[in-house]
């Protein structure tokens, strides 16, 4: 009995240090596991940095569970198409402030993810994409006037942005599209431009109406000349004074060919024409 009591006493005395030891081991394992095991989710790619060999640029770690040394690091990038909507205040050639809201869709080049990490870094959006496009916008809008931007400026701005996209593509990034969501001018300037455009359209509409009336007048004049020439030809072929009678015969013939029911009264005088009455109600 005394022997067992001594063993139990020794176990109790050594239990606390043993428990502390196991807790420390668990803490170390937990800490190292966060630096050793990395889960890369769908739509992500990993770049491995070795403390002794640097950035691994030849291989991008795909989705799944990966293990590295605890003294190394794994940088995980979103490789899906993403969107940002930055806003800029830029000046025109007259110093007028223009507010732009644009949309940029982008994604890093998957196979060059290691190079992107080494050369640019994780904050490549604010390091490359936004500054490149903002610089182009400031340069191109600085050469334009407010009215030009309001009317035809979008096409010029988009063309300039496409050039910026080519510059960004050289930095290991794909820019899918850049859209101009909104161009805001000062209210007084916008209203003045709108009024000017409305007046321009009214002038153009008035010119169109005048041209249309001129063409209609020409058409009627030509039609009248044709009728006049026709009557001259008919008059020359008929006995004198018989043209009205000939016209009456034509009119009577046209009426008689219609499908409506009629009553024909023959004999309206020696020089007269038949009287045709329409009996349809």
């Amino acid at each position: 009995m005394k022997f067992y009591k001594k063993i139990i006493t020794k176990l109790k005395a050594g239990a606390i240090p043993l428990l502390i030891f196991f807790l420390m081991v668990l803490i170390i394992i937990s800490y190292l596991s966060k630096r050793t095991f990395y889960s890369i989710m769908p739509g992500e790619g990993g770049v491995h940095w070795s403390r002794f060999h640097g950035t691994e640029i030849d291989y991008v770690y795909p989705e799944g569970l990966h293990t590295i040394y605890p003294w190394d690091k794994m940088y995980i990038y979103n490789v899906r198409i993403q969107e940002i909507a930055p806003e800029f205040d830029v000046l025109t050639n007259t110093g007028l402030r223009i507010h732009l809201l644009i949309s940029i869709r982008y994604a890093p080049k998957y196979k060059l993810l290691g190079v992107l990490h080494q050369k640019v870094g994780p904050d490549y959006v604010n390091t490359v994409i936004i500054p490149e496009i903002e610089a182009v916008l400031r340069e191109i809008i600085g050469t334009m006037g407010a009215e030009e931007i309001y009317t035809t400026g979008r096409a010029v701005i988009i063309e300039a942005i496409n050039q910026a996209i080519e510059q960004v593509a050289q930095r290991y990034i794909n820019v899918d599209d850049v859209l101009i969501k909104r161009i805001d001018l000062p209210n007084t300037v916008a209203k003045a431009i709108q009024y000017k455009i409305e007046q321009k359209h009214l002038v153009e509409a008035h010119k169109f109406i005048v041209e249309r009336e001129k063409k209609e007048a020409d058409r009627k004049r030509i039609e009248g000349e044709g009728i006049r020439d026709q009557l001259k030809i008919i008059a020359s072929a008929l006995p004198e004074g018989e043209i009205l009678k000939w016209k009456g015969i034509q009119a009577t013939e046209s009426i008689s060919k219609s499908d409506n029911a009629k009553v024909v009264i023959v004999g309206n005088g020696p020089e007269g024409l038949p009287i045709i009455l329409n009996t349809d109600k």
Side-chain angles (χ1 to χ4, degrees), residues 71-202:
W71 50 82
D72 294 347
K73 289 185 179 181
M74 181 74 75
Y75 295 89
I76 298 176
Y77 283 78
N78 186 346
V79 295
R80 290 173 173 163
I81 294 179
Q82 303 161 70
E83 182 182 14
I84 54 174
E87 300 185 35
F88 306 113
D89 286 322
V90 296
L91 300 178
T92 65
N93 57 0
T94 58
L96 184 68
R97 186 180 297 275
I98 305 294
H99 185 76
L100 292 175
L101 173 62
I102 66 175
S103 171
I104 305 172
R105 292 199 296 264
Y106 67 95
K109 294 181 180 179
Y110 185 83
K111 293 183 178 180
L112 298 177
L113 206 57
V115 182
L116 173 66
H117 177 74
Q118 187 182 58
K119 302 293 185 182
V120 182
D123 195 25
Y124 61 90
V125 173
N126 295 313
T127 305
V128 175
I129 298 178
I130 294 178
E132 287 282 356
I133 293 177
E134 182 179 6
V136 169
L137 287 174
R138 292 187 183 281
E139 181 179 357
I140 191 65
I141 291 178
T143 64
M144 302 170 67
E147 185 174 351
E148 183 182 2
I149 294 172
Y150 190 85
T151 53
T152 62
R154 286 179 179 266
V156 179
I157 294 172
I158 290 174
E159 184 179 353
I161 289 176
N162 289 332
Q163 296 176 3
I165 290 174
E166 295 178 2
Q167 296 294 327
V168 172
Q170 297 177 10
R171 305 291 184 90
Y172 326 110
I173 305 163
N174 285 323
V175 177
D176 184 61
D177 199 4
V178 178
L179 304 175
I180 301 175
K181 286 188 172 182
R182 195 172 68 244
I183 299 178
D184 292 333
L185 299 174
N187 289 334
T188 54
V189 177
K191 289 180 180 179
I193 294 174
Q194 289 175 356
Y195 178 78
K196 184 176 179 180
I197 293 174
E198 290 173 359
Q199 295 303 311
K200 180 180 179 181
H201 287 318
L202 288 175

Side-chain angles (χ1 to χ4, degrees), residues 250-267:
Q250 277 192 321
T252 304
E253 183 180 3
S254 297
I255 294 173
S256 66
K257 290 180 180 179
S258 65
D259 296 331
N260 300 328
K262 308 168 189 68
V263 175
V264 181
I265 302 174
V266 181

Side-chain angles (χ1 to χ4, degrees), residues 5-71:
K5 287 182 179 179
K6 288 181 180 181
I7 293 176
I8 292 172
T9 303
K10 289 182 179 179
L11 287 175
K12 288 182 178 179
I16 294 177
L18 187 63
L19 181 60
I20 293 173
F21 173 76
F22 279 113
L23 286 174
M24 291 178 64
V25 171
L26 289 174
I27 291 171
I28 293 171
I29 292 174
S30 176
Y31 175 75
L32 293 178
S33 65
K34 292 180 180 179
R35 301 176 64 90
T36 303
F37 300 101
Y38 287 88
S39 293
I40 298 179
M41 306 305 291
E44 295 179 339
V47 177
H48 175 219
W49 175 82
S50 171
R51 189 168 296 276
F52 301 105
H53 302 96
T55 304
E56 188 176 351
I57 62 176
D58 298 330
Y59 181 73
V60 177
Y61 286 73
E63 59 185 70
L65 181 64
H66 301 279
T67 305
I68 63 173
Y69 294 115
W71 50 82

